[in-house]
């Protein structure tokens, strides 16, 4: 009796197993990495950490950072903070090839208050008369405590201009954030500029959004961002909206500290703008500003996509904080209204790749779209693959104190190509008008190890069937 029931139960188990395997075979769209990671939440580095050290001197420039300063790429915005009083507002700069021809430019100086915090003196200096593809030195501060840095301008925009971008998102200021930055710096393929997909300091995790943590973050990342431009995207941790203590001006600390060249692209807000850099045209969107039809951002984007000339900048890249496609449980479909609004244009204008953060993990999608749905036709499943669509890459794994997101939609949907909740950074190497190579590096690996990688074939110049 018991042996017969054992047999029946074995048969049922076997059928369930077979069905499960079939289901996985049918639905599994890609790879869910089985990499094992620690479960502890990362701690912010303490205030007396080396990386937060104030440079010596009574009012020495600190938190030095640069970003692109005009639309073409031969401009830079140099920013820094002096803690005690307004510093010299002069930037002296010169091209490596012309050491005798030192020029100077003037910075504006502003401060802001946030509840009981008063900022230092924030200097911003726009320089837009640089030559392409050169090394420049710049000096800020005065006298004994003057500080010198350097950066490289990108090559002039053009069809087959190689260029390498780093990708970092949702960084914060934990020990893991520091590992991510070190890992990026030590990567033999380190980028020439960073595309930062939002959520910078996570100062808003502290009581009253303690803005001293914006200062510590500025000092922490200076070692990289003073030497190569980081292209800023605003995330939800930049909103700093806290009406209970009277702070009702969204993005106040971010917009005071981090300027963008928005006017150069005809934008009316620092939160959405575009730049050309070498062979890439990069559109930065703000998913926490209004984006519905008739809004300023919508009207700007409507014209913006039409402006892109793929014979000048073959690669079209979009940065937006919240991902259109993500198969992690947390933040699932949060950007759905944004996707409904704008995915059509991404496909129509042949966007190559969309980078997002927000989800604290890594994920790469297949080329996928979901734009056929018109409420009566029932076509509401993503089309996989859609060779006309961008690849969506989530890179919100910079290392912040909220930790990694490990819960995933199961089984892995067909539009997900690779997913793994580990801290790391990305590298996008544009080789020529047709080919670019994207790789993702997890912090636990060696500096030159790619945990995931893919060749991207340009949607305008190189798209063929059955290619990435
Ligand atoms: Fe976020």
């Amino acid at each position: 009796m018991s042996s017969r029931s054992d047999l029946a139960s074995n048969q049922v188990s076997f059928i369930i197993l077979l069905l499960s395997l079939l289901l996985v075979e049918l639905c599994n769209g890609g790879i869910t990495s089985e990499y094992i990671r620690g479960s502890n939440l990362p701690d912010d580095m303490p205030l007396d950490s080396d990386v937060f050290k104030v440079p010596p001197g009574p009012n020495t420039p600190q938190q030095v950072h640069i970003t692109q300063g005009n639309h073409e790429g031969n401009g830079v915005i140099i920013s820094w903070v002096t803690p005690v009083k307004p510093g010299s507002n002069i930037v002296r700069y010169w091209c490596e090839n012309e050491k005798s021809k030192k020029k100077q430019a003037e910075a504006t100086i502003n401060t802001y208050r946030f509840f009981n915090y008063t900022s230092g003196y924030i200097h911003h200096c726009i320089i837009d008369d640089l030559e392409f593809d050169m090394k420049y030195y710049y000096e800020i501060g005065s006298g004994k405590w003057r500080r010198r840095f350097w950066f490289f301008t990108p090559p002039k925009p053009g069809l087959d201009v190689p260029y390498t971008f780093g990708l970092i998102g949702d960084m914060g200021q934990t020990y893991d954030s520091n590992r991510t930055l070190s890992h990026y710096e030590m990567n033999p393929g380190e980028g020439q500029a960073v595309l930062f997909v939002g959520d910078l300091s996570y100062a808003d995790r502290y009581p009253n959004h303690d803005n001293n943590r914006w200062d510590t973050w500025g000092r922490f990342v200076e070692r990289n961002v003073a030497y190569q431009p980081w292209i800023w995207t605003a995330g939800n941790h930049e909103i700093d909206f806290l009406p209970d203590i009277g702070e009702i001006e969204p993005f106040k600390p971010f917009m005071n500290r981090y300027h963008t060249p928005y006017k150069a692209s005809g934008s009316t807000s620092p939160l959405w703008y575009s730049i050309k850099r070498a062979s890439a045209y990069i559109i930065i969107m703000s998913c926490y500003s209004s984006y519905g039809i008739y809004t300023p951002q919508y009207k700007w984007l409507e014209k913006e996509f039409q402006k892109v000339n793929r014979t000048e900048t073959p690669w079209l890249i979009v940065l937006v904080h919240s991902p259109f496609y993500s198969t992690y449980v947390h933040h699932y479909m949060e950007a759905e209204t944004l996707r409904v609004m704008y995915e059509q244009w991404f496909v129509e204008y042949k966007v190559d790749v969309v980078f997002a953060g927000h989800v604290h993990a890594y994920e790469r999608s297949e080329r996928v779209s979901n734009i056929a749905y018109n409420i009566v036709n029932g076509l509401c499943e993503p089309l996989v693959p859609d060779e006309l669509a961008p690849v969506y890459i989530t890179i919100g794994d910079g290392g912040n104190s909220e930790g990694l997101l490990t819960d995933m939609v199961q089984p892995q949907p067909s539009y997900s190509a690779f997913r793994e909740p580990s801290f790391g950074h990305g590298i996008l190497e544009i080789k020529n008008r047709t080919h670019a190579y994207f790789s993702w590096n997890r912090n636990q690996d060696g500096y030159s190890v790619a945990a995931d990688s893919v060749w991207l074939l340009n949607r305008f110049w190189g798209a063929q069937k059955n290619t990435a």
Side-chain angles (χ1 to χ4, degrees), residues 68 70 72-76 93-99 101 103 127-137 151-157 163 277-278:
Q68 185 157 318
N70 64 3
E72 296 291 315
N74 62 331
V76 68
Y93 63 98
W94 63 95
C95 182
E96 186 182 38
N97 296 348
E98 296 178 311
K99 290 186 180 108
K101 282 195 194 165
K103 295 184 179 178
I127 300 172
D128 63 0
D129 62 349
L130 306 174
E131 286 180 49
F132 287 103
D133 211 6
M134 290 286 174
K135 183 176 184 180
Y136 279 88
Y137 290 90
F151 60 86
F152 292 89
T153 51
K156 195 174 166 52
Y163 200 76
R277 197 161 184 89

Side-chain angles (χ1 to χ4, degrees), residues 24-298:
V24 167
E25 183 63 27
L26 286 173
C27 299
N28 191 348
I31 297 166
T32 298
S33 168
E34 293 181 351
Y35 190 86
I36 305 292
R37 62 201 61 74
S39 56
N40 292 343
L41 279 185
D43 288 326
D44 272 353
M45 294 178 283
L47 292 172
D48 59 357
S49 300
D50 271 7
V51 294
F52 298 148
K53 214 185 259 174
V54 173
N59 192 41
T60 306
Q62 55 168 269
Q63 304 173 51
V64 182
H65 54 94
I66 64 172
T67 193
Q68 185 157 318
N70 64 3
H71 202 234
E72 296 291 315
N74 62 331
V76 68
I77 303 174
I78 298 173
S79 308
W80 71 95
V81 175
T82 51
V84 183
K85 57 185 180 183
S88 162
N89 69 336
I90 300 295
V91 175
R92 299 203 311 152
Y93 63 98
W94 63 95
C95 182
E96 186 182 38
N97 296 348
E98 296 178 311
K99 290 186 180 108
S100 56
K101 282 195 194 165
K102 292 194 178 169
K103 295 184 179 178
Q104 59 180 50
E106 287 183 17
T108 59
I109 304 177
N110 61 290
T111 61
Y112 74 93
R113 286 186 59 81
F114 192 93
F115 189 51
N116 58 0
Y117 167 93
T118 304
S119 76
Y121 295 84
I122 305 170
H123 301 61
H124 296 286
C125 179
I126 301 177
I127 300 172
D128 63 0
D129 62 349
L130 306 174
E131 286 180 49
F132 287 103
D133 211 6
M134 290 286 174
K135 183 176 184 180
Y136 279 88
Y137 290 90
Y138 66 99
E139 282 181 349
I140 52 177
S142 52
K144 186 180 167 191
W145 307 110
R146 183 180 297 162
R147 299 184 72 195
R148 179 185 295 184
F149 305 87
W150 63 84
F151 60 86
F152 292 89
T153 51
K156 195 174 166 52
L159 257 184
D160 289 305
V161 180
Y163 200 76
T164 303
F165 292 100
L167 272 304
I168 301 177
D170 303 71
M171 192 168 197
Q173 43 194 302
T174 71
Y175 294 100
D176 287 295
S177 321
N178 195 25
R179 272 180 212 116
T180 301
L181 187 56
S182 299
H183 215 68
Y184 171 61
E185 291 166 326
M186 299 300 283
N187 190 326
E190 183 190 0
Q192 295 157 278
V194 168
L195 305 179
F196 192 94
V197 292
D199 286 356
L200 285 65
S201 72
Y202 287 75
D204 60 354
R205 302 257 295 155
Y206 287 84
N208 301 320
H209 295 200
D210 182 2
N211 274 222
N212 287 297
R213 279 289 177 171
W214 274 103
D215 291 314
T216 53
W217 194 81
R219 294 199 291 272
F220 157 47
V221 295
E222 180 192 275
R223 71 183 199 237
N224 191 274
V225 71
Y227 298 92
Q228 62 170 259
W230 288 24
I231 309 304
W232 304 112
T233 313
N236 53 306
H237 287 276
E238 277 68 74
I239 301 174
D240 282 313
F241 177 69
L242 210 45
D244 290 353
I245 56 169
E247 290 301 340
I248 55 168
E249 184 189 331
F251 302 103
K252 193 206 278 184
F254 173 69
M255 291 209 291
N256 272 281
R257 291 166 182 274
Y258 294 93
H259 281 191
T260 62
Y262 66 101
K263 287 180 185 161
S265 58
S267 163
T268 50
S269 165
L271 302 172
W272 58 87
Y273 62 102
S274 69
I275 57 165
K276 297 177 199 171
R277 197 161 184 89
S279 45
Y281 197 103
I282 301 161
I283 295 177
I284 295 97
M285 296 173 65
S286 174
C287 53
Y288 304 107
S289 307
S290 46
Y291 53 77
I293 192 164
Y294 313 127
T295 60
Q297 185 169 202
Y298 179 95

